[in-house]
Amino acid sequence: MEDVPTSVLSAERCHLGEGPTYDATTDTAWWFDIRERRLFEHRFAEGRTVIHALPNKASALARIDDARQLILTENGLYVRDVATGRLELFAALEADNAATRSNDARVHPSGTFWLGTMGKRAEKGAGAIYALHRGRITRLYPDITIPNAICFSPAGDIGYFADTEINVLYRVPLDPSTGLPVGEHAALIRHEGVGGIDGAVVDADGLIWNARWGGGCIDVYDPAGRHLRSLRVPATQSSCPAFVGRDFSRVLVTSAWQDMDETQRAADPEHGKTFLLDAAARGRAEADVKLS
């Protein structure tokens, strides 16, 4: 396990911290506490964090333009006005299924948005992975229990996703112009041992940075699935990374205290906090989502 300079970005404990992303145009990081229906906004220039209450459980955010964001929630996609926080429904997603909620998501370099859903109690096979492409939502992969690690190669020709329930990270060939599959997915990494494959992001060199839930670390893999390094995270239930900073060299990592009893929380004093790792990463910006 490798130690890099690490600080607490936000000491506010998240029940289920997830979905971090970074808007380079405003030097602002965003992430969610899914269970408590909260959206966090950290303005690096001001060094402060603002917490926005949400009407629904939400898990991921994509930038549309300077004024708007697209938020993935338990019943659909909403356009959020950045200045006012006003939400407007863009498209329903499993709104008729009260047993599921949204989970992991990420924007492909083409602007297509991959979205994951799962059972609120992690019911086996209750979730799926979808793609929002040219205004239409298409189901790509059904029967997913806990969708995670959705991320893409820099060229957009490879996609990755995982089902944390079985601890497998899949690789799938994509059309770089659309972000849609052009072949069958295949297992790339079968994680064994402590923890589970959670959120992930790909750097400018194509390396996969994956948060290990229950392992308190970020694992880095090359595109062939070879494990290169593990960076320690101060909370056991590390959940998702994002590259942040003007040069994308630092890694924001969310965490959670979900399913931890008082004894477990006491043994994991940094549980639920959000961290900043000075990892000297070669990160890259997230693409804006295209609605049409």
Side-chain angles (χ1 to χ4, degrees):
M1 191 73 71
E2 178 181 348
D3 290 297
V4 298
T6 300
S7 58
V8 174
L9 184 67
S10 173
E12 182 71 22
R13 298 187 192 274
C14 288
H15 193 156
L16 181 53
E18 271 287 7
T21 190
Y22 175 68
D23 184 346
T25 63
T26 59
D27 196 23
T28 303
W30 302 84
W31 68 94
F32 294 86
D33 183 343
I34 298 176
R35 296 286 295 272
E36 302 301 327
R37 302 177 181 181
R38 299 189 294 176
L39 170 63
F40 288 71
E41 173 188 3
H42 183 84
R43 304 168 185 170
F44 283 97
E46 301 172 18
R48 71 186 185 101
T49 303
V50 178
I51 302 175
H52 307 274
L54 298 172
N56 302 311
K57 292 177 181 176
S59 61
L61 175 152
R63 182 182 184 274
I64 301 170
D65 53 36
D66 290 345
R68 299 175 300 160
Q69 301 162 325
L70 190 65
I71 290 185
L72 174 62
T73 80
E74 60 187 324
N75 60 10
L77 290 162
Y78 287 80
V79 173
R80 179 179 184 269
D81 182 89
V82 176
T84 66
R86 185 176 64 89
L87 298 173
E88 180 179 350
L89 181 65
F90 175 77
L93 179 65
E94 298 189 4
D96 57 347
N97 187 351
T100 62
R101 65 164 175 84
S102 63
N103 201 52
D104 196 54
R106 196 168 298 280
V107 182
H108 180 267
S110 68
T112 294
F113 198 21
W114 280 38
L115 325 162
T117 64
M118 62 177 286
K120 290 178 180 176
R121 297 183 179 180
E123 294 89 343
K124 186 174 180 60
I129 293 176
Y130 300 83
L132 171 67
H133 174 66
R134 295 181 178 172
R136 288 189 57 193
I137 297 176
T138 302
R139 188 170 65 175
L140 301 178
Y141 304 106
D143 305 320
I144 303 288
T145 301
I146 306 176
N148 266 313
I150 295 172
C151 53
F152 307 98
S153 65
D157 59 335
I158 301 295
Y160 304 98
F161 68 92
D163 188 338
T164 304
E165 171 68 16
I166 57 175
N167 254 337
V168 175
L169 179 72
Y170 296 97
R171 177 187 188 275
V172 58
L174 307 178
D175 180 340
S177 68
T178 65
L180 299 178
V182 292
E184 295 299 317
H185 62 288
L188 178 68
I189 297 166
R190 297 182 184 274
H191 175 73
E192 298 179 355
V194 175
I197 295 172
D198 209 306
V201 67
V202 177
D203 70 14
D205 297 315
L207 303 181
I208 306 159
W209 296 61
N210 174 244
R212 197 196 314 168
W213 177 273
C217 67
I218 299 293
D219 292 313
V220 183
Y221 300 92
D222 71 11
R226 290 185 291 261
H227 180 263
L228 303 180
R229 57 196 295 214
S230 293
L231 283 63
R232 191 185 313 276
V233 174
T236 301
Q237 291 185 164
S238 44
S239 54
C240 194
F243 299 117
V244 301
R246 293 298 189 185
D247 61 356
F248 307 103
S249 66
R250 295 181 292 174
V251 181
L252 183 158
V253 185
T254 52
S255 73
W257 58 266
Q258 176 175 278
D259 299 328
M260 297 174 70
D261 60 26
E262 290 186 12
T263 301
Q264 290 169 318
R265 293 199 295 271
D268 187 16
E270 302 299 299
H271 63 269
K273 295 181 181 180
T274 304
F275 306 98
L276 199 59
L277 277 59
D278 289 322
R282 280 176 40 84
R284 58 193 178 101
E286 295 285 335
D288 292 348
V289 64
K290 293 181 180 178
L291 300 186
S292 62

